[in-house]
């Protein structure tokens, strides 16, 4: 039997390079931590990478039961930033692992004492090592440090299933097919013969099964190959992302399972992308996996939330994991919510020497072997983002990607025209206001916007509006050109190095801010939904008398998926706003009211917009005209978290008018009072930034009820309650992955 135990809790951590940490009994000071863990908590801006670029040590006792004697013992790391050396009982296990974005395992069988407690320790080098991608040149993002993803202890037989690749076929026929290619490893010095069975489940119901005989030479691996025909299964579609479970089980009880989705994804010569045979224009945003305060050490809950935000709040059908493989929790949830993914290898413009390129190829292999069963992933990015052409390096990465996964298209993200096309699709970062002529029939814009128009939530209204119009202008071209689609830069603001950003180490390129709170432009993306999915009606204004140049209050822009929007000022209906014809290829172009009477020093009243669909009033929205915040809104994303010492949920704070509109120039200080088993991650008291801010509420390892109160000098939010669920429930859960 295979046993996989989550060992995220009960780690000891020291932020110093203490080689003695690998030995039991060393007299050192440790902090007790849970994973995912950032080697340093940071402010949300105004910090330097030097603060977290250091070597630290993590260690943990692991009990290896006597009854597991005769089995193999592994430790599986989902991600350690950026190099790791593993020790067991003071002995180094293999060499250093290089690369922070892909998983690695260590076979510790020969290093452990069975029936005893063993000391597992990890030296974590989080410096910007020039020998490991993305480093060696300048990089417009931060990687942070620590054991920032999950760690598992795995017991298995000496013959075990190591990895598998699934290929779905005949997607458009009523009876579909599935090929499974599992890699089975024999670590014994004797040959082995046994049966291997592949089982396909719809939830818990077995719907197909196949058994074969496999023979393994000593110390070798072999492929267990299964071919299912005539499967009566549903398609994985964006609206109904139906998933099945595929398990490969060996006679000795070892088993590995994966999610499977039946879908086809084709980038055709006609310049259109087809999902399950239907043309789909790809509309998406790039995502960095970094968060305020915690860097990249975000637990599963925050990873999943990002997938939901990009799919549902921002109405995207694709996300690019710029510029590295991202959390398995994020990708699993992309499968679950129906969000397509372009995933790429770590890097940024710089290509290192041959040794560096070898690390990059290992990362490519690890990325594809980890992720090739995700139906959401439709393309591999096999170049270092925006690097120059390099025939040999990129011929090799492209070939490797096709060998490991014959089913998916490759792209290689560049930022110049006329590059040598080695991949299936010419993928291009095009920051021009008017997109350039496509270099190939198969062409996808993988970045636009970004540094051409950095915009903060509290920027002056004219800039905020122009930000929206800039993206609308590019989306219009994406929709009118024969190209697969466009993926804008970027979903969220992100921390960066001094050579980039707004001087406070943030690139304000997001459609949402670093806390994942929407800027006004977010409504442009959301309004591309059908009104039947969700009504969107958002005036692009702070509605002030004197903040626009010359005391104007018009033109007034409105993003909406309604078919008519009426504008009322001070209760007087000024009539319908007009659709912006120049954006006629958008599903729902923005509206504009060109002239609203009134000016500097004149009477000023409330704004109201009414949204109609098919002649029926479906939404109305008011904005107060007096600029006085009357409410402090405090909101948690979840009502329950896990008492594992690392799980957390976002607490969003907003100063609003009586109608719930954020007051963009409120910078009040909010005091947070927390009682119960939780801590605030982020400052407390915390200052609003343009009327809003977020912190995280993190569980301790005690279960119970958490109560939160938030107040400014003048306003108090409604008290909040959060439940933290007992650790036993999680610890006893045997995770089968
Ligand atoms: C691109 C780059 C991104 C980001 C962006 C800012 O050139 O690929 O990582 O730096 O510019 O607009």
């Amino acid at each position: 039997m295979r046993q996989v135990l989550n060992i995220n809790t009960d780690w000891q951590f020291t932020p110093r390079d203490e080689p003695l940490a690998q030995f039991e009994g060393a007299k050192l000071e440790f902090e007790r931590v849970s994973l995912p863990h950032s080697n340093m908590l940071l402010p949300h801006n105004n910090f330097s990478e030097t603060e977290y670029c250091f070597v630290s040590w993590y260690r943990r006792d692991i009990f290896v039961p006597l009854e597991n004697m005769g089995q193999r013992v592994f430790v599986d790391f989902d991600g350690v930033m950026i190099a790791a050396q593993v020790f067991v009982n003071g002995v180094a296990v293999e060499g250093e692992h290089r690369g922070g974005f892909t998983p690695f395992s260590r076979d510790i069988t020969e290093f452990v004492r069975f029936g005893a407690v063993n000391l597992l320790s990890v030296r974590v080098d989080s410096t910007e090592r020039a020998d490991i991608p993305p480093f060696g040149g300048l990089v417009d993002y931060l990687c942070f440090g620590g054991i920032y993803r999950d760690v598992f202890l795995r017991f298995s037989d000496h013959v075990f299933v190591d990895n598998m690749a699934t290929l779905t076929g005949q997607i458009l026929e009523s009876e579909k097919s599935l090929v499974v290619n599992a890699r089975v490893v024999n670590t014994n010095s004797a040959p082995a013969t046994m049966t291997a069975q592949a089982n396909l489940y719809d939830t818990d119901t077995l719907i197909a099964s196949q058994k074969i005989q496999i023979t393994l030479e000593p110390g070798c691996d072999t492929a267990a190959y299964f071919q299912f025909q005539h499967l009566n299964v549903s398609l994985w579609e964006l609206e109904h992302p139906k998933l099945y479970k595929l398990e490969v089980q060996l006679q000795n009880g070892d088993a590995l399972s994966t999610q499977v989705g039946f879908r086809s994804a084709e980038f055709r010569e006609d310049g259109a992308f087809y999902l399950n045979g239907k043309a789909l224009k790809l509309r998406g945003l790039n995502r960095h996996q970094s968060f305020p305060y915690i860097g990249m050490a975000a637990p599963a809950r925050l990873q999943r939330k990002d997938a939901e935000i990009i799919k549902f709040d921002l109405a995207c059908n694709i996300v690019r994991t710029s510029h590295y493989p991202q959390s398995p929790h994020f990708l699993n949830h992309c499968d679950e919510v129906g969000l397509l993914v372009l995933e790429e290898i770590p890097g940024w413009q710089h290509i290192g020497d041959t040794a560096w390129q070898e690390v990059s190829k290992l990362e490519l292999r690890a990325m594809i072997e980890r992720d090739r069963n995700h139906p959401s992933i439709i393309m591999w990015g096999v170049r270092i983002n925006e690097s120059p052409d390099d025939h040999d390096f990129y011929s090799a990465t492209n070939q490797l990607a096709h060998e490991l996964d014959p089913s998916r298209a490759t792209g290689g993200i560049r930022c110049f025209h006329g590059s040598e096309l080695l991949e299936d699709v010419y993928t291009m970062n095009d920051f021009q206001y008017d997109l350039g002529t496509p270099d190939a029939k198969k062409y996808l814009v993988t970045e636009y916007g970004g540094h051409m128009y950095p915009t903060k939530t509290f920027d002056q209204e004219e800039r905020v509006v122009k930000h929206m119009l800039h993206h609308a202008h590019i989306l219009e071209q994406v929709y009118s050109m024969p190209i697969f689609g466009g993926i804008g830069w970027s979903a969220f603001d992100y921390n960066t190095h001094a050579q980039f950003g707004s001087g406070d180490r943030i690139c304000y390129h997001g459609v949402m801010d670093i806390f994942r709170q929407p800027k006004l432009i977010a409504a442009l993306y959301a309004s591309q939904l059908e009104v039947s999915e969700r009504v969107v009606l958002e005036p692009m204004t702070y509605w002030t008398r004197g903040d626009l140049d010359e005391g104007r209050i018009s033109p007034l822009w409105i993003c909406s998926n309604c078919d008519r929007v009426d504008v009322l000022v001070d209760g007087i209906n000024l009539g319908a706003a007009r659709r912006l014809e120049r954006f006629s290829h958008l599903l729902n172009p923005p509206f504009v009211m060109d002239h609203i009477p009134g000016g500097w020093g004149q009477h000023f009243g409330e704004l109201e917009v009414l949204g109609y669909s098919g002649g029926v009033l479906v939404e109305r929205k008011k904005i107060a005209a007096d600029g006085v915040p009357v409410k402090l809104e405090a909101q948690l994303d979840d009502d329950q978290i896990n008492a594992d010492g690392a799980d957390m949920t976002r607490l969003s704070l907003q100063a609003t008018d009586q109608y719930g509109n954020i007051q963009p120039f409120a910078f009040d200080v909010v005091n947070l009072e927390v009682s119960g088993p939780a801590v605030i991650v982020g400052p407390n008291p915390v200052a609003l930034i343009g009327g809003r801010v977020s912190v995280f509420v993190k569980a301790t390892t005690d279960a119970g009820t958490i109560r939160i109160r938030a107040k400014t000098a003048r306003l108090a939010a409604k008290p909040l309650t959060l439940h933290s669920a007992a650790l036993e429930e999680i610890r006893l859960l045997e995770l089968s992955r």
Side-chain angles (χ1 to χ4, degrees):
M1 273 293 282
R2 169 186 296 228
Q3 257 184 312
V4 183
L5 302 168
N6 177 308
I7 53 166
N8 280 352
T9 55
D10 303 316
W11 287 81
Q12 295 178 311
F13 167 72
T14 171
R16 285 170 293 278
D17 188 4
E18 302 271 21
L20 285 180
Q22 63 188 287
F23 302 112
E24 196 59 66
K27 299 247 175 312
L28 298 168
E29 271 186 31
F30 293 101
E31 186 191 337
R32 194 179 149 153
V33 301
S34 291
L35 311 179
H37 182 254
S38 176
N39 66 0
M40 179 95 197
L41 285 179
L42 296 152
H44 86 279
N45 69 347
N46 283 325
F47 64 88
S48 155
E49 67 282 0
T50 54
E51 295 181 42
Y52 63 77
C53 280
F54 55 80
V55 172
S56 60
W57 283 77
Y58 290 75
R59 55 182 232 169
R60 187 193 197 278
D61 285 340
I62 47 168
F63 178 65
V64 180
L66 203 52
E67 50 272 29
N68 290 88
M69 182 96 99
Q71 283 202 304
R72 295 217 80 85
V73 190
F74 297 88
V75 198
D76 299 332
F77 293 86
D78 274 357
V80 180
M81 195 60 74
I82 191 166
Q85 175 66 57
V86 176
F87 301 83
V88 172
N89 300 327
V91 181
V93 184
E94 288 184 38
E96 180 188 57
H97 175 80
R98 293 182 191 163
F101 297 99
T102 43
F104 64 97
S105 293
R106 288 291 180 259
D107 184 340
I108 59 169
T109 318
E110 312 304 332
F111 299 82
V112 293
R113 296 182 298 260
F114 286 83
V117 171
N118 295 266
L119 181 65
L120 168 70
S121 32
V122 191
R123 180 183 189 268
V124 179
D125 183 351
S126 303
T127 60
E128 298 192 338
R129 296 239 317 240
D131 59 331
I132 307 176
F135 298 116
L138 290 179
V139 181
D140 173 23
Y141 58 93
L142 302 182
C143 290
F144 304 92
I147 304 186
Y148 78 109
R149 286 186 186 157
D150 301 330
V151 181
F152 299 88
L153 185 63
R154 170 165 51 106
F155 299 101
S156 81
D157 195 89
H158 286 262
V159 178
F160 59 92
V161 189
D162 181 47
N163 187 270
M164 62 175 133
T166 55
L167 270 184
T168 56
Q170 287 153 270
I171 289 305
L172 300 179
E173 324 245 311
S174 62
E175 294 192 335
K176 309 184 191 350
S177 62
L178 171 69
V179 168
V180 181
N181 195 343
R183 184 165 67 220
V184 184
V185 177
N186 178 12
T187 58
N188 268 331
S189 50
T193 299
M194 63 178 70
T195 57
Q197 187 162 339
N199 298 322
L200 184 66
Y201 295 91
D202 181 351
T203 322
D204 291 327
T205 312
L206 182 68
I207 54 169
S209 182
Q210 241 183 60
K211 202 184 258 188
I212 57 165
Q213 190 82 7
I214 53 169
T215 303
L216 295 123
E217 295 304 320
C220 289
D221 57 52
T222 195
Y225 189 80
F226 306 87
Q227 215 167 352
F228 291 94
Q229 305 279 358
H230 314 300
L231 292 173
N232 183 11
V233 287
S234 307
L235 287 178
W236 183 89
E237 310 222 55
L238 296 191
E239 307 74 31
H240 305 285
K242 174 73 185 163
L243 291 168
Y244 294 84
K245 183 175 133 185
L246 189 273
E247 180 189 56
V248 173
Q249 191 174 33
L250 304 181
Q251 200 173 351
N252 64 13
D254 187 70
L256 185 66
S257 58
T258 182
Q259 296 191 137
V260 180
F262 291 82
R263 61 110 184 95
S264 67
E266 300 161 87
F267 294 87
R268 291 195 195 156
E269 288 283 334
D270 64 1
F273 169 75
Y274 290 79
L275 185 70
N276 299 329
K278 281 181 263 167
L280 175 74
K281 187 65 91 168
L282 298 173
R283 180 180 70 238
L285 291 163
N286 284 269
R287 174 199 189 229
H288 268 306
Q289 64 173 13
S290 53
F291 288 79
Y293 322 125
I294 54 173
M296 290 190 170
R301 186 180 306 280
L302 301 188
Q303 304 287 352
R304 288 198 298 266
K305 181 76 186 169
D306 266 9
E308 290 170 17
I309 290 172
I310 295 169
K311 160 102 185 183
F312 300 114
D313 296 351
L314 299 175
C316 292
N317 54 31
I318 188 166
V319 59
R320 171 170 165 232
T321 66
S322 51
H323 304 294
Y324 37 77
Q326 299 196 351
S327 159
H329 299 294
F330 177 72
L331 295 170
N332 286 341
H333 212 45
C334 289
D335 290 345
E336 286 154 4
V337 299
L339 176 63
L340 301 171
V341 180
L342 190 180
E343 189 174 40
E344 70 185 350
I345 47 175
W348 205 85
Q349 296 192 349
H350 165 80
I351 303 176
D353 58 13
T354 323
W356 189 101
Q357 290 173 22
E358 286 310 312
V359 179
S360 177
K361 285 184 218 161
L362 288 175
E363 292 189 312
L364 175 65
R365 175 182 287 279
M367 171 177 85
I368 296 179
E369 291 197 337
R370 186 191 73 165
D371 289 335
R372 59 189 161 185
N373 298 321
H374 285 286
S376 56
I377 297 179
I378 55 168
M379 183 185 279
W380 303 118
V382 302
R383 284 184 183 230
I384 302 302
N385 173 63
E386 296 191 339
S387 55
D389 280 354
D390 184 320
H391 180 83
D392 293 346
F393 182 30
Y394 292 139
S395 298
T397 56
N398 191 47
Q399 193 188 337
L400 181 61
H402 281 132
E403 270 167 30
L404 294 169
D405 179 13
S407 77
R408 280 182 185 79
T410 55
I413 285 73
R414 63 265 284 165
C415 57
F416 55 95
H417 293 285
S419 151
E420 183 188 14
L421 180 58
L422 298 162
E423 306 81 13
D424 300 314
V425 176
Y426 199 107
T427 42
M428 172 77 175
N429 293 347
D430 187 345
F431 284 96
Q432 297 175 86
Y433 187 61
D434 293 319
L435 293 179
T437 312
D439 287 76
K441 280 187 184 157
K442 294 185 173 193
Y443 191 81
L444 173 67
V445 173
T446 37
E447 288 183 35
Y448 60 81
H451 64 287
M452 305 310 283
Y453 220 83
T455 307
K456 303 178 192 69
T457 43
F458 49 93
D459 268 342
Q460 214 254 355
E461 186 174 314
E462 269 125 342
R463 182 165 192 95
V464 168
V465 167
K466 258 182 138 180
H467 186 213
M468 182 278 288
L469 291 172
H470 186 108
H471 279 240
H473 176 76
I474 293 164
L475 279 176
E476 169 66 15
Q477 296 165 71
V478 165
Y479 273 89
S480 60
M481 289 163 70
I483 61 176
F484 298 130
I487 307 177
W489 191 265
S490 56
F492 313 121
D493 293 347
Y494 57 97
N495 293 122
T496 190
H497 290 97
Q499 294 82 359
F500 307 91
S502 290
D504 64 346
R505 307 299 174 102
I506 290 186
C507 276
Y508 290 91
H509 301 171
V511 165
M512 290 189 159
D513 68 14
I514 201 165
F515 307 103
R516 281 67 172 149
Q517 295 213 38
K519 300 179 185 175
L520 283 182
I521 188 184
L524 169 72
Y525 284 85
S527 64
Q528 301 314 308
L529 287 172
E530 298 283 355
V531 78
S532 56
E533 294 172 85
R534 175 158 64 90
V535 182
V536 178
L537 178 67
E538 198 65 60
M540 301 281 108
T541 179
Y542 304 151
W543 199 245
T544 58
R545 167 50 86 210
D547 194 51
L548 293 185
D549 295 346
E550 303 155 19
R552 284 183 288 106
I553 48 172
S554 48
L556 171 71
W557 311 84
I558 300 147
C559 286
S560 180
N561 51 6
C562 296
D563 51 35
R564 195 184 99 205
V565 174
D566 281 3
V567 177
L568 287 79
V569 176
D570 213 12
I572 298 166
N573 195 328
L574 304 179
R578 81 181 156 84
R579 276 268 191 222
L580 281 166
E581 276 143 30
R582 66 177 201 263
F583 299 132
S584 62
H585 288 88
L586 292 189
L587 188 57
N588 294 304
F591 292 85
V592 66
M593 192 79 181
D594 296 295
H595 179 67
I596 295 177
W600 182 244
Q602 294 177 6
H603 174 74
F604 189 54
E606 276 183 0
L607 172 72
E608 183 169 19
V609 286
L610 307 178
Y612 294 86
S613 178
V616 179
L617 179 67
V618 288
E619 183 70 300
R620 60 202 307 161
K621 178 140 195 186
K622 274 189 177 183
I623 306 186
D626 59 9
V628 178
V630 296
K631 280 196 281 185
L632 178 67
E633 304 264 16
Q635 205 189 345
L636 290 164
D637 285 344
D638 300 273
D639 52 20
Q640 182 167 316
I641 51 178
N642 299 328
D644 62 1
D647 194 14
M648 57 180 85
T649 185
R650 178 177 60 160
L651 169 63
S652 298
L653 302 160
Q654 299 178 341
T656 73
D657 68 6
Q658 58 269 45
Y659 305 116
N661 300 294
I662 294 178
Q663 300 293 283
F665 307 121
F667 293 89
D668 307 48
V669 169
V670 185
N671 281 286
L672 299 167
E673 269 174 38
V674 180
S675 69
V679 292
I680 295 289
V681 178
N684 183 18
V686 59
L688 296 176
I689 304 161
R692 81 207 75 189
V693 76
S694 299
V695 295
F696 298 110
V697 182
K698 182 169 93 156
T700 65
T701 46
D702 294 319
T705 302
I706 301 156
R707 294 198 163 76
I708 300 159
R709 287 174 182 277
K711 52 179 191 292
T712 67
R714 298 205 284 174
L715 300 169
K718 280 205 197 106
L720 297 169
T721 308
L722 177 67
H723 179 64
S724 188
L727 184 59
E728 285 69 40
E729 295 161 25
I730 309 156
R731 197 198 291 275
L732 292 178
L733 186 76
E734 193 178 296
L735 294 160
S736 86
R737 298 197 305 154

